[in-house]
Amino acid sequence: MLAFLVVGGLSFYSCDEPITDEDVAGILQALGWLEESEQLEEIEEDIQIIDDETGLPSSVNLLPNFPPVGDQGQYGTCVGWALGYNLMTALEAIDQNKSTSQLASPEHQFSPKDLFLALPANQKAEDCNGTTFEFAFDKMQERGIATLATAPYVNMGGCTSSPQSSWTAEAANHKIQSYRKIGSTTSTVKNYLAKGRPV
């Protein structure tokens, strides 16, 4: 039976129980997403509106472009893991046609620690307890992100330190150009995935 634990709340959910929006928000908040600080309405929408399932492949698998599953441990750094480690690693893997064996190496993975520490204190909660997608995307666009080999995910402390200058120098080579929000219909998401674009 599929079940998962809500960190801090010790609430269990199973396939037999419907999961509400409040349940999902609680789970994400426990992992470190500061939903109440997110300003999604200010994020530009993609100009390409796709809502047609005609001609879509029967399946799409982008997993070979992602690094192995990581572990954020006791810290509320899920946004750093989602955007830094997973998304940025996948984007570079797609752009540079990296192999699965390359993606298993920290030299080809991006550091959630570097991304999280690069955020100013007013953009993250105390004691490594979260941030927003918008703040993290903005930092990936303006500063970039260092690799996991350069900035390993160890010794997070209270997340009050700043990234080392060598991390910042490397991060400048790994920036995103832009980011946009997309429609949340199933057809839109399927179309983006079919074009090889992680969402």
Side-chain angles (χ1 to χ4, degrees), residues 154-173:
V154 294
N155 303 323
M156 292 294 288
C159 295
T160 56
S161 60
S162 297
Q164 298 174 19
S165 58
S166 60
W167 301 4
T168 301
E170 184 186 67
N173 298 316

Side-chain angles (χ1 to χ4, degrees), residues 72-95:
Q72 75 184 59
Q74 64 187 12
Y75 303 106
T77 54
C78 68
V79 171
W81 279 91
L83 298 186
Y85 180 75
N86 284 302
L87 183 62
M88 188 65 173
T89 301
L91 292 173
E92 284 216 355
I94 291 166
D95 286 348

Side-chain angles (χ1 to χ4, degrees), residues 40-60:
L40 297 177
E41 67 280 353
E42 293 185 15
I43 298 175
E44 291 185 49
E45 289 193 41
D46 198 337
I47 56 172
Q48 185 178 15
I49 299 174
I50 305 169
D51 204 10
D52 180 13
E53 293 190 33
T54 306
L56 287 176
S58 60
S59 66
V60 173

